[in-house]
Amino acid sequence: MVAVASGTAALHLALLAAGTGPGDEVIVPSQTFCASVHAILATGARPRFIEINPHTLCIEEDQVRAAITPATRAILPVLYGGRAFDLSALHTTLESQGISVVQDAAHAFGSRSGTTLVGAQPGLLTCFSFGPIKNLTCGQGGGIIPRTAAEADALRGLRSLGITQSQQERAATTTYSVNGFGLRATMSDLNAAVGLVQLQHFATIAAKRKGLWTSYATRLKPLTGVALVDVDIEHTVPFNCVVHVPDRDRVFKELRSRGIGAAVHYPPNHTQPAFQAWHRPLPVTEESGRHLMSLPSTRP
């Protein structure tokens, strides 16, 4: 893994490593945090928003296939709530057209696709966030799983202002090499130390998150009109517990008035003023966005 300063930095650098740039399109669900879209725009590319499955809030193969154009350079699937999904049926098509898959796995550290850990699937660039409320936290940080050793080297240059030598190597000599474009996107030693300690306790964290989600599912089941978003709990370390509820805004205000920390993850991006240039009708996403709400899910 190549450690970086944030999940947003991970997406930005991974897209750059995949060759994304001006004139390119990146297929992405509108149902994600705005950071996913900003990472695309930071490369000079433009987002092509697509629909989601309303039961999982994730994209599906048919939606991706229909959205591919000659300008498509990458697909940025979002593993919403931590749920992994399989786009391997598209890989031959994508490889033949030079299209990379950059997984936004900000919610999905510890989750599995079948028996395979997210990040261990071959042929994918996978990006994690280690922010303060994620399954694994460094306080702040992110990580990228590269596809090849050469890509890992390229990402280390991109995160470090194009400098190829490590801090230890630079300290032992009087010069260093700047071999290309780069950003200041390294993870701090302090954040890395926090993450290493958290990693030692991850099995406990994962079990508690799964247990909380399962408790919610059991208690919500009898409620008429409340639809729990399916995260495939058998394979997922859930980031949050999301429901669709009628009259969401009234319910949200009522919960907040009682000190219950409900939230909304997330307002659809294709309706945001900053992204109006790439708006297209997405009725499923829009309907979902009017009703979804996240229930409190604090770190254990």
Side-chain angles (χ1 to χ4, degrees):
M1 180 183 289
V2 177
V4 294
S6 68
T8 308
L11 292 170
H12 182 197
L13 299 186
L15 287 166
L16 290 175
T20 308
D24 293 332
E25 279 187 347
V26 178
I27 294 171
V28 64
S30 175
Q31 181 53 62
T32 181
F33 187 44
C34 62
S36 306
V37 186
H38 281 302
I40 295 167
L41 297 177
T43 71
R46 58 187 182 272
R48 181 168 175 80
F49 294 119
I50 63 170
E51 281 284 28
I52 52 170
N53 179 317
H55 303 296
T56 66
L57 306 190
C58 295
I59 62 174
E60 294 187 332
E61 176 191 333
D62 291 347
Q63 298 153 348
V64 174
R65 193 183 299 276
I68 293 172
T69 73
T72 304
R73 171 64 66 178
I75 298 165
L76 203 160
V78 176
L79 280 56
Y80 187 93
R83 182 190 180 104
F85 51 92
D86 187 6
L87 294 178
S88 60
L90 282 173
H91 286 182
T92 299
T93 298
L94 300 180
E95 287 178 5
S96 69
Q97 298 183 44
I99 300 171
S100 296
V101 178
V102 178
Q103 283 198 124
D104 183 341
H107 292 184
F109 188 87
S111 294
R112 295 178 181 270
S113 177
T115 59
T116 305
L117 275 169
V118 169
Q121 308 106 308
L124 306 181
L125 266 163
T126 300
C127 299
F128 293 111
S129 171
F130 303 129
I133 62 171
K134 296 304 193 296
N135 294 353
L136 177 74
T137 184
C138 293
Q140 189 59 265
I144 310 166
I145 307 294
R147 294 171 291 188
T148 64
E151 194 166 66
D153 289 341
L155 286 164
R156 292 187 183 101
L158 284 168
R159 73 175 178 181
S160 304
L161 300 170
I163 298 172
T164 57
Q165 290 84 11
S166 68
Q167 290 272 20
Q168 293 82 1
E169 290 170 331
R170 287 160 57 190
T173 185
T174 58
T175 189
Y176 55 81
S177 299
V178 182
N179 285 5
F181 171 77
L183 298 166
R184 171 67 78 183
T186 51
M187 181 187 287
S188 75
D189 290 346
L190 177 60
N191 291 125
V194 170
L196 288 172
V197 173
Q198 289 287 309
L199 189 59
Q200 295 173 20
H201 302 284
F202 185 71
T204 300
I205 293 168
K208 288 187 175 182
R209 282 183 174 261
K210 282 175 170 279
L212 177 60
W213 192 95
T214 301
S215 294
Y216 269 133
T218 301
R219 301 293 180 88
L220 292 169
K221 194 172 183 179
L223 299 184
T224 302
V226 177
L228 182 66
V229 172
D230 180 14
V231 298
D232 183 17
I233 192 63
E234 182 180 346
H235 298 98
T236 300
V237 178
F239 167 69
N240 53 7
C241 183
V242 177
V243 292
H244 286 115
V245 294
D247 201 6
R248 188 270 313 276
D249 289 0
R250 181 188 64 79
V251 175
F252 173 82
K253 289 176 182 177
E254 178 67 21
L255 291 175
R256 298 292 297 191
S257 74
R258 299 186 183 200
I260 299 171
V264 173
H265 297 98
Y266 306 93
N269 283 292
H270 72 292
T271 64
Q272 295 288 359
F275 309 134
Q276 279 297 299
W278 305 285
H279 179 277
R280 55 197 299 253
L282 298 173
V284 174
T285 299
E286 291 158 20
E287 178 67 14
S288 173
R290 285 189 284 270
H291 300 289
L292 66 81
M293 184 174 67
S294 299
L295 299 175
S297 183
T298 57
R299 287 190 55 78

